[in-house]
Amino acid sequence: MQIEDLLEKYDGFVFDLDGTLVDSMPLHLAGWEHAAAVYGFHYDATWFYNLGGVPSRKIAKLVAETQNLDLDLDAVTKVKSDYYQQVISKATVFPAMKELVTNLFHHRPLAIGTGSMRVNTEIVLANNGLRSYFQVLTTSDDVVHHKPNPDTFLLSAAKINVKPSRCLVFEDTEIGLQAAQEGKMDCVLIREGKPDWNTFTRFNADNSY
């Protein structure tokens, strides 16, 4: 499979943020570890990583449900989010993803589709010189039904005026992959800061390849 030929098949691209474009997942995980220490719930790094793309309050709710705890969800979310705000400047772009974005920018519209709050998304993109590459941002503030629901990606495609079936999604988690699948959008997973083209998954019939 020629990557250049594959990319030419699409009219737009949608990128997740955390763990896909920027190396921020360790910072989010540290925030959850801190919140776990404060509120006494069990912290499992793999479990939390696999929820990448889900807004923090919904993760706090899942913690309460799965561990059968009576947690103040707003308080837990605030402690985690405050911690992340303190370390957000450490979130750096993956070099291979920066190269991909700059190359695609000259040919097709790009969108962000993330489970992060808009304020954090803007900060991370600005800190890494990425903001000007993306025509639109779709964040946790913009949809009601978050990943693994497809709404984030579908709204991103609509904002750049591209049919979902003509967009390629870049994601780093199975939840993000599921969201793309639900939206009938093709997807490539990011592994260790680079696109793993072997994970390319085609969900639509509009592309003749």
Side-chain angles (χ1 to χ4, degrees):
M1 176 176 59
Q2 293 295 321
I3 303 307
E4 293 79 8
D5 293 340
L6 172 65
L7 295 174
E8 284 296 321
K9 301 288 185 180
Y10 297 95
D11 297 327
F13 300 93
V14 182
F15 289 80
D16 173 53
L17 182 66
D18 299 298
T20 295
L21 274 182
V22 295
D23 190 14
S24 54
M25 286 303 290
L27 307 178
H28 284 288
L29 294 177
W32 283 116
E33 187 173 20
H34 173 67
V38 172
Y39 288 99
F41 57 82
H42 176 66
Y43 170 76
D44 182 303
T46 301
W47 187 86
F48 280 97
Y49 187 95
N50 288 336
L51 289 170
V54 178
S56 293
R57 194 179 191 282
K58 290 191 174 183
I59 294 177
K61 187 173 186 292
L62 285 172
V63 169
E65 291 172 350
T66 57
Q67 299 187 32
N68 195 27
L69 298 172
D70 183 17
L71 297 174
D72 183 333
L73 302 185
D74 290 332
V76 172
T77 302
K78 185 177 189 306
V79 166
K80 182 270 175 181
S81 298
D82 285 350
Y83 183 97
Y84 181 66
Q85 284 285 336
Q86 294 172 15
V87 298
I88 197 170
S89 63
K90 298 180 181 179
T92 56
V93 63
F94 290 118
M97 297 307 293
K98 177 69 175 289
E99 181 180 2
L100 177 63
V101 165
T102 54
N103 288 338
L104 293 178
F105 173 72
H106 298 291
H107 305 284
R108 303 286 192 275
L110 309 182
I112 291 287
T114 178
S116 286
M117 297 183 297
R118 179 168 292 271
V119 60
N120 289 342
T121 302
E122 292 278 11
I123 291 171
V124 169
L125 290 175
N127 284 351
N128 288 281
L130 294 171
R131 182 62 184 91
S132 62
Y133 291 102
F134 294 93
Q135 291 188 0
V136 301
L137 310 179
T138 304
T139 71
S140 63
D141 305 310
D142 301 313
V143 298
V144 174
H145 304 293
H146 302 94
K147 302 173 188 176
N149 295 290
D151 301 37
T152 298
F153 292 148
L154 293 177
L155 181 57
S156 296
K159 285 180 176 179
I160 57 175
N161 197 31
V162 175
K163 291 171 58 179
S165 61
R166 302 297 300 169
C167 282
L168 179 63
V169 172
F170 293 94
E171 257 288 354
D172 70 304
T173 67
E174 291 299 320
I175 280 181
L177 176 63
Q178 184 179 342
Q181 182 177 15
E182 290 294 326
K184 304 295 191 293
M185 302 168 78
D186 296 355
C187 186
V188 172
L189 289 176
I190 305 305
R191 304 294 195 198
E192 299 181 352
K194 298 178 181 179
D196 182 354
W197 298 105
N198 291 323
T199 66
F200 169 71
T201 310
R202 180 176 172 230
F203 294 118
N204 66 78
D206 286 10
N207 297 323
S208 56
Y209 52 88

